[in-house]
Amino acid sequence: MYGDALRVKRAVFSQGLRRAARAALRELDGLGILCASGTAYLDDTNPAETVHTVEVVAVTEALAQALTPVASGLVRVTSHVEIDD
């Protein structure tokens, strides 16, 4: 119908999995450990597929609990460590 103008590729993560990830990210907002959030490419073979990224100041049990329902690889967590002077 659209010729070469449209390419369709099956998504790696379903809309249901993405909704679960967004709900978990909203929960992280209330934990007081979130520095930043954004998105990144899934990998070089899937440049159109994105994953969520979060930067936190601490890895806590509450963080782990919030991310438990999230599909593996859909949220990347980076922890910042502060060095005492």
Side-chain angles (χ1 to χ4, degrees), residues 19-29 31 66-70 75:
R19 279 191 293 276
R22 285 192 303 273
L25 293 174
R26 284 191 298 273
E27 191 174 333
L28 294 184
D29 279 337
L31 297 180
L67 294 177
T68 296
V70 176
V75 175

Side-chain angles (χ1 to χ4, degrees), residues 29-75:
D29 279 337
L31 297 180
I33 59 171
L34 192 61
C35 292
S37 62
T39 59
Y41 295 121
L42 176 61
D43 56 37
D44 290 338
T45 62
N46 293 289
E49 187 88 21
T50 58
V51 295
H52 301 281
T53 60
V54 293
E55 298 177 14
V56 297
V57 295
V59 177
T60 65
E61 182 66 29
L63 172 69
Q65 296 260 338
L67 294 177
T68 296
V70 176
S72 178
L74 187 49
V75 175

